[in-house]
Amino acid sequence: MTTVRALVKRAADELADAGVASPRHDAEELLAHVLGLTRGALVGVDEVSEEHRRRFVELVERRAARVPLQHLTGRAPFRYLELAVGPGVFVPRPETEVVAGYAIDALRAMGGTPVAVDLCAGSGAIALAIATEVPNARVYAVELDPDACAWAERNLAGSSVTLVREDAAVALPELDGTVDVVVSNPPYIPMDAYDSVEPEVRDHDPAAALWSGSDGLDAVRMVERTARRLLRPGGLVVVEHADVQGESAPAVFASAGWWLTVRDHPDLAGRPRFVTARRSPRRLAS
Ligand code: GLN
């Protein structure tokens, strides 16, 4: 038997040496995962069995090799949810919770049965958050990648979300001009940021969820065109972007000639993170 304190301390030191950003947190999460407990419940445990210790040490080694924590536990928290995640799907991030929250607040304020579409839905995190927090909304999740779709299917099973396996650029033509909110966390990392991206992201999130042309805005431009097609006049688009795109992402909307009240918004760390705009009923004079 080994004491929990000693185990966590050793693991946290090893993770810190490996460059993991939150070594103690991750060590505790992994131990709690092995024991089938929440991290908070670890304080009630003094010692662990040899079998549990062995499994824990194995996971810590993989985490030290920079496998994402969420791939090791198979879970990612997102707002009130826990999503199933693993290889083949983008791990939901805290900053996207704010993006989803903006769409959720707007849908709530609409009443009736508002229609929402999540483009590039990945694990289904945003769509599922909307469906659970705005139960009167009709929600569609659009995702093309088969591996991501398999995870989304699992996460959305039993929910009211309709999963559409299609290219977002052409998806849901039957909804053209009728959608109330289009929300998206598309791929957006500029190619020249490659070297500054953490190994957990670069080597384990799907490339299709990360990169999008040299300025990172190819998918944002596609989302602009698709949102323009899907939204009703006055409908709202909400699109996440990189912190270096606080001017260039809003410019995609401002220069398109179809958007009113283009605004940029920060995430919880105060970095530029998402753009919102309202669909104009008609093309604007340039
Ligand atoms: N937010 C991701 C990251 O920080 C980038 C890609 C995305 O969210 N669309 O790695």
Side-chain angles (χ1 to χ4, degrees):
M1 302 283 267
T2 318
T3 68
V4 162
R5 273 174 65 104
L7 257 188
V8 169
K9 168 87 173 72
R10 215 177 308 143
D13 289 347
E14 188 182 335
L15 294 179
D17 286 346
V20 170
S22 45
R24 193 182 173 88
H25 165 272
D26 287 17
E28 289 176 354
E29 278 290 335
L30 289 173
L31 186 57
H33 173 68
V34 164
L35 299 177
L37 301 171
T38 61
R39 191 155 57 95
L42 282 180
V43 290
V45 186
D46 292 327
E47 299 187 324
V48 300
S49 69
E50 183 49 30
E51 166 62 14
H52 283 143
R53 189 198 65 81
R54 200 183 48 69
R55 281 177 45 207
F56 173 64
V57 167
E58 235 172 67
L59 288 176
V60 170
E61 258 169 47
R62 292 176 65 201
R63 184 71 192 96
R66 307 298 293 270
V67 174
L69 176 68
Q70 297 89 339
H71 283 201
L72 298 173
T73 63
R75 318 289 311 169
F78 188 79
R79 293 181 67 88
Y80 300 103
L81 306 168
E82 270 219 324
L83 282 301
V85 293
V89 74
F90 180 81
V91 174
R93 310 281 206 269
E95 53 268 35
T96 308
E97 294 179 322
V98 183
V99 178
Y102 193 96
I104 284 167
D105 290 345
L107 286 158
R108 276 204 184 122
M110 285 173 193
T113 309
V115 178
V117 176
D118 174 7
L119 300 174
C120 313
S123 65
I126 298 177
L128 191 59
I130 293 175
T132 37
E133 295 182 53
V134 195
N136 55 314
R138 194 146 56 83
V139 187
Y140 297 82
V142 179
E143 175 56 56
L144 180 62
D145 183 84
D147 294 332
C149 266
W151 288 103
E153 215 166 283
R154 187 168 155 190
N155 284 314
L156 298 174
S159 81
S160 61
V161 177
T162 306
L163 177 63
V164 181
R165 194 177 148 195
E166 217 182 327
D167 183 345
V170 296
L172 297 168
E174 66 277 20
L175 297 183
D176 281 3
T178 67
V179 173
D180 295 285
V181 172
V182 168
V183 57
S184 182
N185 172 19
Y188 56 63
I189 309 180
M191 225 40 220
D192 58 11
Y194 188 88
D195 290 333
S196 63
V197 176
E198 297 287 335
E200 284 87 346
V201 177
R202 209 170 63 196
D203 303 338
H204 297 278
D205 276 317
L210 300 179
W211 317 102
S212 194
S214 58
D215 66 354
L217 288 168
D218 282 2
V220 172
R221 285 185 276 265
M222 179 279 291
V223 167
E224 184 279 318
R225 289 190 297 273
T226 305
R228 188 199 306 176
R229 167 171 68 78
L230 289 172
L231 288 172
R232 63 166 166 81
L236 176 75
V237 65
V238 184
V239 188
E240 185 170 327
H241 61 68
D243 53 4
V244 296
Q245 294 163 344
E247 287 177 12
S248 55
V252 168
F253 288 83
S255 65
W258 284 97
W259 300 97
L260 304 169
T261 50
V262 179
R263 300 260 184 283
D264 203 62
H265 308 261
D267 60 22
L268 293 173
R271 295 168 302 205
R273 184 56 63 192
F274 64 103
V275 55
T276 62
R278 294 267 172 196
R279 171 70 160 80
S280 165
R282 63 193 67 83
R283 186 178 243 296
L284 304 166
S286 51

